[in-house]
Amino acid sequence: MMRLALQAAGEAASRGEVPVGAVVARGEQVLAVASNERETTGDPTAHAELLAIREAANALGGWRLTGCTLYSTLEPCPMCAGAAWAARISRLVYATPDPKAGYAGTLHNILSDRRLNHTAPVQSGLLAQEAANLLKDFFRRRRLKET
């Protein structure tokens, strides 16, 4: 599943989007695959995770994604981690941490916050180097274009 998310992230980079991809799956069944679309749509909420959650809810015909896993190439930001919590995602797996906005273990972990009415296990580091390399290469190329 993470390889599928990495493929989506690569496709995002080719469109000039920050290379983040996400997959929502129930067991081995892929419900949704998405990548960032903020630049394309001009929508600040068009993060890969949020788009995948929306698509998966649509595929299942309801907002509760209990029994589903969200895979993301980058640690979700506060908005996306909050959306995973609101959708009752049963598990989150992400590749590489986000030191500036990560809300699934770096700055906070909303999915393990026992003060909330839903928690879910979080696993990090799956194919982390591949995801980090996509991001580093993207931003390196972007900086070169700006100079």
Side-chain angles (χ1 to χ4, degrees), residues 16-18 39 135-147:
E17 299 281 354
V18 174
E39 300 300 325
L135 289 160
K136 287 176 189 173
D137 291 346
F138 175 82
F139 286 111
R140 183 174 39 249
R141 285 192 305 273
R142 185 184 227 172
R143 282 189 297 279
L144 288 174
K145 286 181 183 177
E146 291 174 359
T147 59

Side-chain angles (χ1 to χ4, degrees), residues 27-45:
E28 294 301 312
Q29 178 189 13
V30 174
L31 299 172
V33 179
S35 59
N36 276 357
E37 294 182 5
R38 288 190 310 170
E39 300 300 325
T40 305
T41 64
D43 178 355
T45 69

Side-chain angles (χ1 to χ4, degrees), residues 46-144:
H47 289 201
E49 301 94 333
L50 201 58
L51 296 172
I53 288 168
R54 286 178 185 158
E55 187 179 324
N58 190 44
L60 291 176
W63 64 270
R64 289 182 188 270
L65 299 182
T66 305
C68 296
T69 300
L70 171 62
Y71 297 86
S72 179
T73 59
L74 181 65
E75 180 181 3
C77 71
M79 175 180 67
C80 294
W85 165 80
R88 305 303 189 260
I89 287 285
S90 291
R91 190 176 117 198
L92 168 66
V93 179
Y94 69 86
T96 194
D98 185 345
K100 294 184 179 183
Y103 236 59
T106 299
L107 300 178
H108 181 62
N109 188 344
I110 193 168
L111 290 171
S112 71
D113 191 331
R114 299 248 178 244
R115 296 171 296 176
L116 300 173
N117 63 343
H118 171 74
T119 61
V122 175
Q123 176 187 346
S124 63
L126 183 62
L127 302 178
Q129 196 58 56
E130 289 93 330
N133 288 344
L134 267 175
L135 289 160
K136 287 176 189 173
D137 291 346
F138 175 82
F139 286 111
R140 183 174 39 249
R141 285 192 305 273
R142 185 184 227 172
R143 282 189 297 279
L144 288 174

